[in-house]
Amino acid sequence: MADNLSDTLKKLKITAVDRTDDSLEGCLDCLLQALAQNNMETSEKIQGSGILQLFSSLLIPQSSCTARVANIIAELAKNEFMRIPCVDAGLISPLVQLLNSKDQEVLLQTGRALGNICYDSQSSKEQFASTNIAEELVKLFKKQIEHDKREMIFEVLAPLAENDAIKLQLVEAGLVECLLEIVQQKVDSDKEEDIAELKTASDLMVLLLLGDESMQKLFEGGKGNVFQRVLSWIPSNNHQLQLAGALAIANFARNDGNCIHMVDNGIVEKLMDLLDRHVEDGNVTVQHAALSALRNLAIPVVNKAKMLSAGVTEAVLKFLKSEMPPVQFKLLGTLRMLIDAQAEAAEQLGKNVKLVERLVEWCEAKDHAGVMGESNRLLSALIRHSKSKDVIKTIVQSGGIKHLVTMATSEHVIMQNEALVALALIAALELGTAEKDLESAKLVQILHRLLADERSAPEIKYNSMVLICALMGSELLHKEVQDLAFLDVVSKLRSHENKSVAQQASLTEQRLAVES
């Protein structure tokens, strides 16, 4: 086979220049056979032969060889290592032009070639962005009636639409209107191919909204036709449309202006109604998407009180019994966003024993780092935002203190800091209630380690010293502080380059000296 392939490649170089179709077809058929037998090895030989550059001149609409050449390119581009060489050989532009062909086989093979070249390959997608592929694909898509042909174009569109520049081009070329039309046509059908096409169209719609520019263009200040149509998907009885609608809202809710407009125009109630329909044995992906949307909407400060008074916490807490980590993760994130700087809501939630016990349970979910991290952060947030003795007592009684102490050793500075601030509030407000738990969690030893570690961020050192001072009010913890010779570590920090750290070190040193 190897000898035959080498001969074929040599012959192809000559016939490609002469354009003798009969000989050319024979050579191309040999290449297709070789690729069918051993794609990778044949692809390597084709790349090494320099023949790839000749293919662009063979991709001409009138030739009988065009479909074969496109088929070969599609086969070559199944290999990741061949995708950039296909781009470098200038094959994108002629392939894009072939999308205007009337020949169905040429269209099919061209679609496969383009789809394979841009599959999972960011450099090639950037090349596509500089062509008129978006416009050509949308034009072609509008002409297609057959399901198979539309499916082929979808396969090219999906990987291309991962590129933000191409997302915007596709939106400007009118793809969204085509997708909305498909959804409208297929929504009530129970045919398998229609259900598949509805899913593909709505998924692609959501993908287009992941680009900031394309999303904002479609939002049109919340008055756009596209936004209104997507809103109508949420109350639908079709799970796929409910999912796509909730995901679309989550994508629209990526800046404060959009979030504020949507909350003011009743989107929260629609999402809560949707969640209500999925409480008992609900669709997990819909739950996850609706919670994602609510979490994003809760980010702007002005939305928090409105969402709290609309009853969002009650709606979200219905999913506390969920055993699905993605739902747990979004539930925690939504609650954390809602109580940010909302003292009353934080106190109300922090006194909810069922919630706090569930948080403590999830703080041990070692198989799900995201859920574990969010549970710790919500525990800390309940204390930091409520500053409530009752909340601290509930967390102590539920066994939450040890998790906050462990959180102070997190690899993420933001989580360390949140933990230290919460622990300082515990020490200031309810030290007597928490001291035994703080001792058994080895808080004093951890603080010594954080202060002695040169890698600790300035804010970690600062808050660790504030906490040490607060712990001195406990006889039990005071003794531990004395036994660990904190004075040595703290006195070194008086010359720290960060002024706040240096000042706090002086204050802490004085306190330690007086109390010793």
Side-chain angles (χ1 to χ4, degrees), residues 96 123 126 188 204 218 236-237 249 290 354 380 387:
V96 169
S123 49
E126 282 163 13
D188 297 320
L204 186 50
L218 293 171
S236 151
N237 290 320
I249 296 303
K354 274 188 182 172
S380 158
K387 299 180 177 61

Side-chain angles (χ1 to χ4, degrees), residues 204-241:
L204 186 50
M205 179 80 197
V206 171
L207 182 58
L208 291 174
L209 292 172
L210 280 171
D212 287 338
E213 283 188 82
S214 51
M215 176 274 287
Q216 209 53 45
K217 188 175 179 66
L218 293 171
F219 189 65
E220 289 183 75
K223 295 178 172 62
N225 173 46
V226 173
F227 175 65
Q228 297 301 329
R229 291 278 284 278
V230 165
L231 274 188
S232 72
W233 294 354
I234 294 173
S236 151
N237 290 320
N238 183 302
H239 280 188
Q240 174 58 34
L241 279 195

Side-chain angles (χ1 to χ4, degrees), residues 212-399:
D212 287 338
E213 283 188 82
S214 51
M215 176 274 287
Q216 209 53 45
K217 188 175 179 66
L218 293 171
F219 189 65
E220 289 183 75
K223 295 178 172 62
N225 173 46
V226 173
F227 175 65
Q228 297 301 329
R229 291 278 284 278
V230 165
L231 274 188
S232 72
W233 294 354
I234 294 173
S236 151
N237 290 320
N238 183 302
H239 280 188
Q240 174 58 34
L241 279 195
Q242 292 172 1
L243 171 63
L247 287 173
I249 296 303
N251 286 343
F252 280 126
R254 285 210 313 279
N255 65 53
D256 283 7
N258 291 5
C259 289
I260 292 164
H261 181 279
M262 287 193 278
V263 168
D264 286 346
N265 284 274
I267 190 64
V268 169
E269 289 72 15
K270 285 186 170 67
L271 289 167
M272 289 199 301
D273 288 346
L274 176 60
L275 277 175
D276 251 1
R277 295 163 72 184
H278 288 275
V279 175
E280 299 300 328
D281 306 318
N283 182 303
V284 173
T285 52
V286 175
Q287 292 171 0
H288 180 260
L291 288 167
S292 296
L294 286 171
R295 181 200 172 279
N296 288 2
L297 290 166
I299 293 172
V301 177
V302 294
N303 280 357
K304 297 179 196 295
K306 292 172 187 172
M307 292 176 72
L308 288 165
S309 62
V312 172
T313 45
E314 293 79 2
V316 169
L317 286 171
K318 289 176 186 173
F319 295 89
L320 206 53
K321 58 192 174 189
S322 173
E323 294 303 329
M324 305 305 292
V327 174
Q328 295 167 355
F329 180 71
K330 288 297 178 186
L331 174 152
L332 292 163
T334 306
L335 292 176
R336 187 165 63 80
M337 284 301 160
L338 281 169
I339 63 164
D340 190 9
Q342 306 295 311
E344 199 180 315
E347 181 165 12
Q348 198 180 348
L349 279 179
K351 292 192 291 191
N352 180 328
V353 177
K354 274 188 182 172
L355 169 64
V356 174
E357 285 177 349
R358 193 70 158 135
L359 291 183
V360 171
E361 181 190 329
W362 286 340
C363 281
E364 292 169 7
K366 290 187 171 59
D367 293 342
H368 302 288
V371 172
M372 193 164 77
E374 277 290 347
S375 300
N376 278 301
R377 293 190 77 185
L378 183 52
L379 263 188
S380 158
L382 291 169
I383 295 168
R384 287 183 297 109
H385 298 302
S386 72
K387 299 180 177 61
S388 156
K389 289 186 171 199
D390 289 340
V391 169
I392 293 168
K393 284 176 188 166
T394 306
I395 289 172
V396 172
Q397 285 157 10
S398 303

Side-chain angles (χ1 to χ4, degrees), residues 104 143-151 193 197:
Q104 296 301 311
K143 290 179 198 167
Q144 297 305 324
I145 303 163
E146 293 172 50
H147 170 77
D148 291 349
K149 295 291 183 296
R150 292 217 289 220
E151 200 62 34
E193 66 176 35
E197 200 166 347

Side-chain angles (χ1 to χ4, degrees), residues 21-262:
D21 274 10
D22 291 349
S23 319
L24 200 52
E25 282 174 16
C27 291
L28 296 170
D29 285 339
C30 283
L31 284 190
L32 283 167
Q33 282 169 7
L35 284 163
Q37 285 170 11
N38 189 331
N39 192 315
M40 190 178 283
E41 192 183 315
T42 306
S43 295
E44 284 169 352
K45 290 215 164 130
I46 289 173
Q47 187 187 3
S49 72
I51 202 85
L52 214 51
Q53 281 75 8
L54 291 176
F55 285 162
S56 63
S57 64
L58 298 176
L59 290 167
I60 46 176
Q62 294 78 20
S63 168
S64 58
C65 300
T66 305
R68 285 183 180 82
V69 177
N71 189 356
I72 290 168
I73 296 167
E75 291 300 314
L76 293 171
K78 283 180 178 176
N79 302 293
E80 192 177 348
F81 68 89
M82 286 302 294
R83 289 171 195 152
I84 287 174
C86 283
V87 173
D88 293 342
L91 300 181
I92 289 177
S93 191
L95 283 168
V96 169
Q97 296 312 312
L98 285 176
L99 291 172
N100 291 307
S101 171
K102 302 277 191 291
D103 186 312
Q104 296 301 311
E105 184 61 19
V106 169
L107 278 176
L108 177 66
Q109 300 305 343
T110 301
R112 285 185 62 235
L114 286 168
N116 290 353
I117 291 172
C118 71
Y119 180 77
D120 212 21
S121 169
Q122 202 51 49
S123 49
S124 60
K125 282 177 195 150
E126 282 163 13
Q127 287 272 84
F128 277 105
S130 63
T131 70
N132 62 341
I133 187 166
E135 199 181 331
E136 295 294 348
L137 280 171
V138 174
K139 261 193 225 165
L140 184 65
F141 189 80
K142 286 175 179 172
K143 290 179 198 167
Q144 297 305 324
I145 303 163
E146 293 172 50
H147 170 77
D148 291 349
K149 295 291 183 296
R150 292 217 289 220
E151 200 62 34
M152 180 269 288
I153 301 169
F154 271 139
E155 282 171 21
V156 183
L157 285 169
L160 279 178
E162 285 167 13
N163 176 285
D164 280 1
I166 298 176
K167 280 187 182 78
L168 187 59
Q169 290 171 7
L170 290 168
V171 166
E172 287 173 341
L175 178 61
V176 172
E177 288 71 18
C178 300
L179 299 176
L180 289 171
E181 203 174 311
I182 288 173
V183 168
Q184 201 167 348
Q185 288 168 0
K186 311 293 180 185
V187 67
D188 297 320
S189 172
D190 50 9
K191 279 191 202 165
E192 206 169 304
E193 66 176 35
D194 287 346
I195 293 167
E197 200 166 347
L198 175 79
K199 181 181 185 328
T200 309
S202 54
D203 285 350
L204 186 50
M205 179 80 197
V206 171
L207 182 58
L208 291 174
L209 292 172
L210 280 171
D212 287 338
E213 283 188 82
S214 51
M215 176 274 287
Q216 209 53 45
K217 188 175 179 66
L218 293 171
F219 189 65
E220 289 183 75
K223 295 178 172 62
N225 173 46
V226 173
F227 175 65
Q228 297 301 329
R229 291 278 284 278
V230 165
L231 274 188
S232 72
W233 294 354
I234 294 173
S236 151
N237 290 320
N238 183 302
H239 280 188
Q240 174 58 34
L241 279 195
Q242 292 172 1
L243 171 63
L247 287 173
I249 296 303
N251 286 343
F252 280 126
R254 285 210 313 279
N255 65 53
D256 283 7
N258 291 5
C259 289
I260 292 164
H261 181 279
M262 287 193 278

